[in-house]
Amino acid sequence: ALYAPCRPRAIWMHRVACTAVRLVGPVVLPGKAVSWLPPFAAEVWSALAEGWRGHVGEWDAMALYDQLEPHRSGFKLLLLRRGQPLAFVKLRQGDASKLRDEYEALDRLRCHPPQSFLVPEGIEVGQTHDWHFLLMSPLPPLPHLPPTRAPLGAITRDIETAMADWPRPSNTPPHWRPMHGDLAPWNLRRLRDGRLVLFDWENVRWAPPTSDEVFYRTASGAIGRGSSGQVEAREAVAFWRETLRERPVETEQAKRLASAMRAILERA
């Protein structure tokens, strides 16, 4: 449930791996087991863990997702109790503005529940020493997929409604609208019962109309999930051209994705 494959080959490999683990156990996975220690003092970890227990109760295991991109410090944890997910934690050092933004976005979505998708519940955002965390409800512990046909119109309307009072910078053009900011197949997932869930709300901001839809179609085309469709909104296309030029990319996979998305936008 921590991995969100989007490309067809990766989806099938994910299914095979999940089936093999259910039948045989994690010994079938490639690589070797290694010990992991938090990258900070033991008393910091104890204080963080104690605070989380106060919100979600005891857990007996966790799954770790480490960030590969150097500009993304920290890591993510899935807290488990008897093999079932209890809470999802984003943990990072330094600037916590994006974690606070996500928590506030989830709070607005709780007050204005969307009709076209689900969102995690924001449980707590906080700090211990110089480490910041966002605690939220987890996804079901089953493989999930990107939707075959995302109802982008309904999704963007729900976002605009829920985020209508999102702080607007003073230099924002009056016709711009609030957007998710990273609406892509890796963040919009279809659960086994058919419902959609949209997560990773760190990049909520104001942008030209249809920016979320343009990004989703561009990302879908770049990862081979059909064509990018009609990417014709000129202002939104120009917005993403500039944004992707400025966005830091370090891993080879991220570079290939950014290059493919820029190529689609240049052709639009």
Side-chain angles (χ1 to χ4, degrees), residues 158-169:
D158 281 341
I159 293 172
E160 291 171 8
T161 299
M163 301 298 157
D165 63 344
W166 190 257
R168 179 195 286 265

Side-chain angles (χ1 to χ4, degrees), residues 92-151:
R92 66 186 55 156
Q93 194 175 24
D95 183 18
S97 58
K98 286 188 174 293
L99 294 185
R100 289 193 295 269
D101 284 350
E102 182 164 11
Y103 182 78
E104 292 174 9
L106 294 177
D107 186 59
R108 283 170 168 78
L109 288 155
R110 178 183 58 81
C111 296
H112 302 279
Q115 301 299 308
S116 57
F117 59 87
L118 306 172
V119 294
E121 175 193 355
I123 300 173
E124 182 61 67
V125 63
Q127 177 181 0
T128 297
H129 295 265
D130 60 342
W131 283 86
H132 304 267
F133 69 87
L134 172 60
L135 188 68
M136 68 186 86
S137 61
L139 295 182
L142 297 168
H144 41 72
L145 299 169
T148 304
R149 292 183 179 85

Side-chain angles (χ1 to χ4, degrees), residues 57 178 206:
W206 292 82

Side-chain angles (χ1 to χ4, degrees), residues 10-224:
I11 290 172
W12 282 107
M13 291 176 65
H14 190 225
R15 288 176 172 175
V16 170
C18 288
T19 301
V21 169
R22 287 195 189 99
L23 295 176
V24 182
V27 70
V28 302
L29 297 176
K32 64 179 181 179
V34 296
S35 298
W36 178 81
L37 293 174
F40 38 68
E43 57 266 24
V44 177
W45 174 251
S46 297
L48 284 166
E50 185 62 27
W52 299 339
R53 290 190 188 96
H55 291 287
V56 301
E58 293 289 339
W59 73 88
D60 52 31
M62 63 183 179
L64 168 72
Y65 178 80
D66 206 354
Q67 300 288 165
L68 296 178
E69 299 90 345
H71 76 278
R72 287 188 167 186
S73 63
F75 47 92
K76 301 171 183 176
L77 298 171
L78 185 64
L79 306 181
L80 304 167
R81 180 191 293 155
R82 293 188 292 276
Q84 295 299 308
L86 188 64
F88 182 69
V89 187
K90 289 185 176 182
L91 186 62
R92 66 186 55 156
Q93 194 175 24
D95 183 18
S97 58
K98 286 188 174 293
L99 294 185
R100 289 193 295 269
D101 284 350
E102 182 164 11
Y103 182 78
E104 292 174 9
L106 294 177
D107 186 59
R108 283 170 168 78
L109 288 155
R110 178 183 58 81
C111 296
H112 302 279
Q115 301 299 308
S116 57
F117 59 87
L118 306 172
V119 294
E121 175 193 355
I123 300 173
E124 182 61 67
V125 63
Q127 177 181 0
T128 297
H129 295 265
D130 60 342
W131 283 86
H132 304 267
F133 69 87
L134 172 60
L135 188 68
M136 68 186 86
S137 61
L139 295 182
L142 297 168
H144 41 72
L145 299 169
T148 304
R149 292 183 179 85
L152 296 176
I155 290 171
T156 55
R157 285 193 296 272
D158 281 341
I159 293 172
E160 291 171 8
T161 299
M163 301 298 157
D165 63 344
W166 190 257
R168 179 195 286 265
S170 59
N171 60 346
T172 302
H175 67 286
W176 281 23
R177 301 172 184 172
M179 70 165 182
H180 176 273
D182 196 12
L183 180 57
W186 47 86
N187 289 329
L188 180 65
R189 309 298 291 182
R190 176 170 55 82
L191 304 180
R192 285 197 169 185
D193 60 8
R195 294 178 299 170
L196 298 179
V197 58
L198 179 57
F199 48 85
D200 202 355
W201 290 82
E202 293 187 14
N203 295 298
V204 172
R205 59 180 134 165
W206 292 82
T210 73
S211 288
D212 267 338
E213 182 174 350
V214 166
F215 188 83
Y216 188 91
R217 294 187 184 281
T218 303
S220 297
I223 62 176

